[in-house]
Amino acid sequence: MSIEIRNVTFFYNAGSVLEKKALDDISLKIDAGEFVGLIGHTGSGKSTLAQHMNGLLRPSRGQVLIGGEDIHADKSRLKQVRRRVGLVFQYPEHQLFEMTVFKDVAFGPENMGWTKAETEAAVISALELAGIEKELYEQPPFELSGGQKRRVAIAGVLAMRPEILLLDEPAAGLDPRGRDEILDKIKEMHQQLGITVILVSHSMEDISRLVSRIIVMDSGRIAQSGAPGEIFARVEELERIGLAAPQISYIMRELKERGFDVPTDIFTVKEAVKAITAAFIPLART
């Protein structure tokens, strides 16, 4: 399922003394099955843009199209749009409220009028995809670890069987282990389901190892768009808008400047280990 944004401008508190332009004539297209990273400093408009993609916010000007259809052309269809485009907010565990994990994930399908059998099948499938063990199904979600709560919240969206998954800072506030756990699970779900995934994040390290395309936001506009290698090769441009490349890229550049034969278009630790090993082993043998 594709998403197309056409000349979208959005004002908060439009027409009042507190009016603020959050999005400024944005146009972009995300194809079906893409894994896209949406990055930018605080206030750049990335979360506002994400909320336009499933109809939570309506453009002041412009159109949002899902699968080629304007989602605001018929208000009665917005509920269907939000089922097809699942949005996981920052700190989604704050939305957990049922007495058991299973009931919490079942809330969406039940309210869509699905049968008991359909709901159970969707819940079990979603919990399995999110990596939640069976022994936790009847546990209160509030007693789980931070990473487990996030995965339960994501399962609640997956149970609706969305064709597009929007994740707004899904690893925010987690410890390193929980962070890796949730992000690896998101990557795995994308590979298994083949759905379109948009990851909103300020972490260059997370984005660099997960997505195939990056959209950079600045002051409500799209500053850059391209593959991770293209985006992070323009470090100076990123730094001008308050961002930076992944830390490992600075290390590789420093090694290159010191005369070591290493590539500088590397942005993950895994790739760096291979490149540094390849460069240093010949030196050790001489």
Side-chain angles (χ1 to χ4, degrees):
M1 182 66 62
S2 65
I3 300 179
E4 187 174 359
I5 307 294
R6 291 183 182 172
N7 305 109
V8 165
T9 294
F10 178 74
F11 295 90
Y12 283 110
N13 303 307
S16 76
V17 294
L18 297 176
E19 180 177 283
K20 179 183 178 181
K21 184 185 285 186
L23 299 178
D24 187 5
D25 195 31
I26 285 183
S27 293
L28 67 91
K29 185 175 182 181
I30 297 172
D31 293 325
E34 272 198 278
F35 195 153
V36 173
L38 190 58
I39 66 174
H41 55 75
T42 301
S44 62
K46 57 187 186 297
S47 293
T48 300
L49 179 58
Q51 290 177 45
H52 274 76
M53 291 179 182
N54 85 330
L56 277 181
L57 295 175
R58 180 173 185 146
S60 302
R61 293 193 293 270
Q63 294 177 297
V64 178
L65 294 88
I66 304 295
E69 297 182 9
D70 187 336
I71 65 174
H72 294 288
D74 182 354
K75 290 183 179 179
S76 66
R77 299 188 63 186
L78 272 177
K79 186 176 181 180
Q80 181 67 12
V81 167
R82 290 170 187 151
R83 189 192 72 77
R84 298 171 73 185
V85 185
L87 174 59
V88 179
F89 289 98
Q90 193 176 55
Y91 299 105
E93 62 269 24
H94 295 167
Q95 299 167 257
L96 302 174
F97 63 95
E98 285 284 5
M99 296 304 295
T100 70
V101 165
F102 196 95
K103 287 181 179 179
D104 207 287
V105 176
F107 180 80
E110 286 175 347
N111 279 271
M112 290 294 294
W114 295 6
T115 66
K116 183 177 180 180
E118 289 172 335
T119 297
E120 288 186 356
V123 171
I124 291 171
S125 175
L127 286 168
E128 289 177 347
L129 279 167
I132 300 298
E133 299 83 357
K134 288 184 178 179
E135 56 265 29
L136 298 178
Y137 288 9
E138 298 305 317
Q139 295 296 312
F142 319 105
E143 296 179 2
L144 304 180
S145 70
Q148 288 171 327
K149 288 177 183 177
R150 295 284 168 91
R151 286 187 282 131
V152 170
I154 291 172
V157 174
L158 290 176
M160 304 293 289
R161 295 176 177 164
E163 296 166 74
I164 298 168
L165 183 61
L166 293 164
L167 300 127
D168 191 354
E169 300 280 7
L174 296 179
D175 59 33
R177 180 178 178 180
R179 186 181 195 85
D180 289 343
E181 181 183 89
I182 195 72
L183 292 172
D184 288 344
K185 184 54 65 175
I186 289 167
K187 182 71 171 180
E188 184 182 321
M189 287 187 289
H190 174 252
Q191 293 170 340
Q192 290 184 18
L193 300 175
I195 60 177
T196 308
V197 178
I198 297 100
L199 174 64
V200 179
S201 179
H202 67 274
S203 170
M204 303 302 116
E205 282 71 22
D206 294 342
I207 289 289
S208 66
R209 72 183 182 87
L210 294 169
V211 308
S212 57
R213 179 157 66 106
I214 296 173
I215 297 168
V216 183
M217 299 283 295
D218 179 43
S219 301
R221 300 180 69 91
I222 294 176
Q224 297 181 39
S225 179
E230 297 174 61
I231 299 300
F232 295 135
R234 301 194 287 268
V235 176
E236 293 78 11
E237 292 179 37
L238 291 174
E239 290 177 340
R240 275 199 297 272
I241 61 175
L243 299 174
Q247 288 298 312
I248 199 68
S249 69
Y250 291 101
I251 294 173
M252 300 305 288
R253 284 169 179 261
E254 179 70 18
L255 287 172
K256 187 73 171 180
E257 289 173 5
R258 294 191 181 199
F260 295 102
D261 185 19
V262 295
T264 57
D265 58 344
I266 283 179
F267 312 105
T268 68
V269 173
K270 187 176 181 180
E271 291 174 327
V273 168
K274 289 181 180 179
I276 291 171
T277 300
F280 276 73
I281 285 178
L283 292 175
R285 290 173 177 168
T286 59

